[in-house]
Amino acid sequence: MNRKRLYSIWKYICRRKYLIVTVLGVVFVGFVGENSILKHVQNRMLVRNMEAEISVYETQHEQAEQTLKELRTNPKAITKIAREKYFMKADDEDIFVLSDDDNAKKNENETAE
């Protein structure tokens, strides 16, 4: 009985060999291997993410270039940046740093815990 069953399976495979090979080929190309469609889609998504990062870095680069150009041409820009970013001051003046109430509440909550 077992031999009959194996013979019927073999006969089925022989009759449908082209269909089986085609299905296996499609599965291999679609899902298995380095050049599969699945890998292709993943690489496309990765490229899109990297292009978005490139655009962000390009805008940051343009802003930095504008700031550098302003620093080279305008001497008052150096003092402006020094005062705003680094809280530098002249000898005869005082600086007061004001914070938002929301930030103060967050800091209180953080220290209370």
Side-chain angles (χ1 to χ4, degrees):
M1 184 161 184
N2 194 13
R3 200 170 204 195
K4 241 183 188 184
R5 190 171 183 185
L6 285 175
Y7 180 73
S8 64
I9 291 172
W10 180 254
K11 198 173 181 182
Y12 181 80
I13 290 173
C14 287
R15 272 190 254 144
R16 310 227 192 285
K17 60 185 168 191
Y18 296 113
L19 177 65
I20 293 170
V21 168
T22 304
V23 168
L24 289 176
V26 168
V27 168
F28 183 75
V29 169
F31 302 104
V32 182
E34 288 184 27
N35 298 323
S36 67
I37 295 172
L38 187 62
K39 290 280 188 183
H40 184 71
V41 170
Q42 289 174 348
N43 289 337
R44 284 273 190 187
M45 291 173 56
L46 185 64
V47 166
R48 284 188 195 129
N49 290 340
M50 288 183 176
E51 286 174 349
E53 283 184 36
I54 287 172
S55 67
V56 168
Y57 289 132
E58 283 176 348
T59 56
Q60 287 178 357
H61 177 71
E62 289 172 3
Q63 291 172 349
E65 286 287 328
Q66 289 175 354
T67 305
L68 183 62
K69 185 178 179 181
E70 184 180 349
L71 287 173
R72 287 183 179 162
T73 59
N74 188 3
K76 291 184 179 182
I78 295 172
T79 58
K80 178 183 174 189
I81 290 176
R83 288 173 187 262
E84 289 177 359
K85 288 189 178 182
Y86 303 109
F87 301 111
M88 293 183 170
K89 65 180 185 89
D91 291 333
D92 61 341
E93 63 186 15
D94 293 325
I95 294 179
F96 297 96
V97 178
L98 303 176
S99 65
D100 295 338
D101 291 336
D102 294 334
N103 291 338
K105 288 179 185 177
K106 288 179 184 176
N107 290 335
E108 287 175 10
N109 290 340
E110 290 175 0
T111 57
E113 292 178 1

